[in-house]
């Protein structure tokens, strides 16, 4: 695999960019692998990459029923942050943030990580107290979180309305300066390129239809492209985690909901940071192309659809217009929805299971993208060593029987 560089770009420019090599291969699936990863989104590809890079396990297949990054990786609002409340969450997400900082250099692929800061707004006094508590907890964990009053929020984000006669008056908010956004497609493609370079087979248009066991242990999968045997099977398929787990008789504490977003027409630069509001379920950033990227809370009902309800869009735009009056005449270009798997405590599962050789990474709710590098790094450790890393030990299935929950409903930023 050739390294990308300014010299490479110049050389290909002279030939009209007609001779770029494929970024990853398209192999036929082998009959057997050491590890099969189900799900070719960012988390699955990152897991394969770190299995090969950190643990020397290259006999790996990533099976994707559609195309790479065609699930939630390509349907999220690209926000990256680590300002969670609980120690276990803060350390896990901050581990991911550390990896984000050098990910482009490590992958030799520009993932466009942009640390432009993230503000989490408080509209009520009780919410302000909760967010201040989280700021203190963050700082105890070494995370660069500070409290801003309303004027401080205005100084960072000049287009926000902080007047007192609006429907959702702003009390202030937490601000994590090192947080920001990254380019979701580039993340999937960069990890795919890195994994492929190390020998991982990436197989698209290959849906898993069954997971089979022998003597109580998982030994492979049936797919639309035939049976594939494997010593270990790991599912990283957001939106259908519980469906896949059901194939081995495992019932997970997960609900699935639609989660939708909007993109506006391109504007000149007006939004220098990311602003999120848990209370009114809207969040806003600006893409490098100038589009406003607008997120919402989940649709309240359980569903596997990827459409979302119009009532959520209406509420989302009403809240947006109240907080940012200058967008009132901006046209929306498109709307889309993904499916999010949500655990009852709003924290994910990154763990082995009672079924030997079967591993689960899912239940991220609305917060999966930001954790992509850390999730892949820790899940690869869990698969390779058959035991959790200390930074994902808390995100086990056992917490739902022991009561050691990692409750993050407030820090998840939009409603679960």
């Amino acid at each position: 695999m050739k390294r990308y560089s300014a010299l490479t770009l110049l050389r290909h420019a002279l030939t009209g960019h007609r001779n770029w090599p494929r970024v990853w291969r398209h192999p036929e699936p082998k009959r057997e692998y050491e590890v099969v990863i189900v799900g070719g989104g960012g988390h699955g590809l990152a897991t394969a990459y770190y299995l090969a890079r950190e643990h020397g396990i290259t006999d790996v297949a990533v099976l994707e029923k559609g195309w790479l990054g065609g699930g939630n990786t390509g349907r999220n609002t690209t926000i990256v942050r680590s300002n969670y409340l609980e120690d276990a969450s803060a350390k896990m997400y901050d581990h991911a943030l550390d990896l984000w900082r050098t990910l482009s250099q490590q992958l030799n692929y520009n993932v466009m990580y942009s640390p432009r800061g993230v503000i989490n707004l408080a509209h009520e006094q009780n919410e302000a107290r909760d967010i201040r508590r989280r700021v203190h907890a963050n700082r105890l964990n070494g995370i660069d979180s500070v409290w801003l009053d309303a004027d401080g929020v205005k100084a960072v984000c000049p287009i926000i309305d902080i007047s007192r006669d609006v429907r959702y008056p702003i009390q202030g908010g937490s601000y994590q300066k090192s947080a920001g956004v990254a380019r979701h497609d580039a993340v999937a493609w960069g990890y795919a390129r890195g994994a492929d370079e190390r020998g991982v087979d990436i197989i698209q248009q290959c849906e898993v239809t069954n997971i089979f066991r022998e003597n109580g242990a998982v030994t492979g999968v049936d797919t639309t492209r035939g049976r594939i045997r494997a010593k270990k099977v790991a599912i990283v398929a957001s939106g259908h985690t519980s469906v896949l787990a059901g194939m081995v008789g495992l019932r997970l504490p997960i609900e699935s909901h639609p989660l939708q977003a909007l993109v506006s027409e391109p504007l000149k630069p007006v939004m220098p940071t990311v602003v999120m509001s848990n209370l009114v379920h809207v969040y806003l950033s600006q893409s490098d192309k100038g589009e406003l990227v607008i997120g919402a809370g989940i649709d309240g009902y359980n569903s596997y659809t990827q459409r979302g309800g119009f009532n959520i869009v209406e509420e989302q735009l009403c809240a947006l217009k109240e907080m940012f009056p200058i967008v009132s005449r901006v046209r929306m270009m498109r709307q889309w929805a993904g499916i999010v798997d949500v655990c009852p405590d709003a924290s994910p599962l990154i763990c082995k299971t009672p079924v030997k050789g079967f591993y689960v990474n899912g239940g991220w709710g609305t917060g999966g993208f930001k954790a992509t590098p850390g999730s892949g790094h820790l899940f690869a450790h869990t698969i390779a060593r058959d035991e959790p890393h200390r930074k994902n030990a808390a995100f086990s299935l056992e917490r739902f029987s022991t009561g050691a929950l990692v409750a993050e409903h407030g820090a998840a930023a939009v409603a679960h």
Side-chain angles (χ1 to χ4, degrees), residues 10 24 42 65 81 87 105 119 123 158 232 244-245 247 252 255 294 299 308 312 337 340 350-351 383 400 404:
L10 177 62
W24 56 83
K65 72 176 182 179
R81 62 186 177 89
D87 289 350
Q105 291 79 14
I119 296 174
H123 298 276
K232 296 179 177 180
L244 288 163
M247 294 179 182
L252 298 180
E255 291 186 349
I294 307 157
D299 286 21
I312 298 294
V340 292
I350 321 171
C351 59
I383 297 168
F400 296 103

Side-chain angles (χ1 to χ4, degrees), residues 140-156:
L140 287 172
N141 279 311
I143 295 169
D144 61 323
S145 185
V146 297
W147 169 260
L148 303 176
D149 59 17
D151 290 332
V153 171
K154 182 79 173 177
V156 176

Side-chain angles (χ1 to χ4, degrees), residues 175-189:
Y175 181 50
Q176 186 182 7
K177 193 172 183 179
S178 63
V181 296
R183 176 69 184 175
H184 43 24
D185 295 326
V187 174
W189 299 338

Side-chain angles (χ1 to χ4, degrees), residues 148-165:
L148 303 176
D149 59 17
D151 290 332
V153 171
K154 182 79 173 177
V156 176
C157 181
I159 67 170
I160 200 165
D161 185 356
I162 59 169
S163 57
R164 306 304 298 172
D165 57 349

